[in-house]
Amino acid sequence: MSEIRLFVTTTETQAAAILDVMSVTFEEEGYAVATMEIDEKRDVWEASVYMMADEEESVKSRLADALAADFSHLPMEREVLPDIDWIAKSLEGLAPVRAGRFVVHGSHDRDKVRTGEIAIEIDAGQAFGTGHHGTTAGCLEMLASVARSRRVGNVLDLGTGSGVLAIAAWKLLHVRGLATDIDPVATRVASENARRNGVVAGLTFATAPGFHSTAFGAHAPFDLIIANILARPLMKMAPELVANLALGGSVILSGILAEQRWKVLAAYNGQRLKHVRTIWRNGWVTIHLTK
């Protein structure tokens, strides 16, 4: 089934505002939203939402309603995207990613791992987050930093995707951990990736749609919670996330655009967490806070 892109063409300032509207409307349901520069000199940008073809009618109607108040003058355009495995294609030939002591690589690059590096092998065909994105790389770098500064005995990787961060924490800290995702396919793939990377015990994978899942109660409180998701869900779940964090524990948050960082920080400061450090990578930020 083809993927559809619905988009509007406008200025950079308006595109940023429209992205916020799209985020409120769609992100919690997993629809990808994005802005893209088309012509720098003429200040031409596109703001887009992506969906499968059978979802187009519903998404188009909701997008029109969301834009009606302030952006009804902008025509909505449509693009049918080629039926290509874009994840695998985009990662073809990419070099291993290094962040802190970690190197994330495909099976074809095993010989490029250097002495002393902590290697995590993830192939493109199984990618739900491979380390090539700034958010994952930022989390890996922050994880290494946290491990140097404080003792960690119990880790939660919330929204584990491919399992990269859970595997990294297990390899670096040698502690027990829980990795969860709302997508059962991601959970299965993450578990397979863990076995491929030599994780034989101590790391539990569970499909969990929210903190009400029994999986959390069986493992909490956590000394370290890593959540590489999206800004709005991170803000919404702040009270429950902090409630599952041990006193003195650390939180690593990512999936946050640079311009969204203040809202996320405000949500967690409201839960009495203290900001320690922020890493910037390619327009995304990774934030470390402590309880």
Side-chain angles (χ1 to χ4, degrees), residues 239-260:
E240 292 176 298
L241 188 151
V242 175
N244 283 270
L245 182 67
L247 185 63
S250 289
V251 175
I252 297 174
L253 305 176
S254 199
I256 306 163
L257 290 167
E259 59 266 26
Q260 298 171 323

Side-chain angles (χ1 to χ4, degrees), residues 206-270:
T207 301
F211 276 103
H212 58 274
S213 169
T214 56
F216 297 101
H219 292 81
F222 301 94
D223 300 312
L224 171 62
I225 298 177
I226 308 169
N228 181 14
I229 311 178
L230 290 169
R232 195 164 300 278
L234 285 175
M235 290 185 283
K236 185 177 180 179
M237 67 176 60
E240 292 176 298
L241 188 151
V242 175
N244 283 270
L245 182 67
L247 185 63
S250 289
V251 175
I252 297 174
L253 305 176
S254 199
I256 306 163
L257 290 167
E259 59 266 26
Q260 298 171 323
R261 68 192 186 281
W262 298 116
K263 294 179 181 179
V264 176
L265 280 170
Y268 284 84
N269 287 339

Side-chain angles (χ1 to χ4, degrees), residues 19 35 44 64 72 84 89-90 98 114 119 149 152 156-158 160 167 189 192 202 210 239 250 262 264-265:
L19 181 65
T35 57
V44 177
S72 59
I84 295 174
K89 187 173 180 63
S90 67
R98 289 179 164 85
R114 302 166 185 165
S149 63
V152 176
L156 168 63
D157 178 17
L158 189 67
T160 192
I167 295 166
V189 169
E192 292 171 356
S250 289
W262 298 116
V264 176
L265 280 170

Side-chain angles (χ1 to χ4, degrees), residues 154-170 175-184 186-194 199 202-209 213 215-216 219 222 224-227:
N154 187 16
V155 178
L156 168 63
D157 178 17
L158 189 67
T160 192
S162 64
V164 168
L165 300 176
I167 295 166
W170 187 89
V175 297
R176 63 191 179 95
L178 172 67
T180 67
D181 203 284
I182 63 173
D183 184 346
T187 307
R188 175 181 57 78
V189 169
S191 180
E192 292 171 356
N193 284 335
V199 179
L203 189 54
T204 301
F205 291 88
T207 301
S213 169
F216 297 101
H219 292 81
F222 301 94
L224 171 62
I225 298 177
I226 308 169

Side-chain angles (χ1 to χ4, degrees), residues 95-123:
V97 170
R98 289 179 164 85
R101 293 178 56 195
F102 299 103
V103 55
V104 184
H105 65 90
S107 56
H108 59 287
D109 278 329
R110 290 173 185 164
D111 60 337
K112 295 182 181 178
V113 178
R114 302 166 185 165
T115 302
E117 288 184 323
I118 299 175
I120 304 168
E121 184 175 303
I122 305 289
D123 278 326

Side-chain angles (χ1 to χ4, degrees), residues 5-7 15 19 22 27 32-36 46-50:
R5 179 173 77 102
L6 297 177
F7 64 98
L19 181 65
M22 288 179 169
E27 275 191 347
V33 298
T35 57
M36 178 171 56
E46 291 177 354
S48 308
V49 57
Y50 298 79

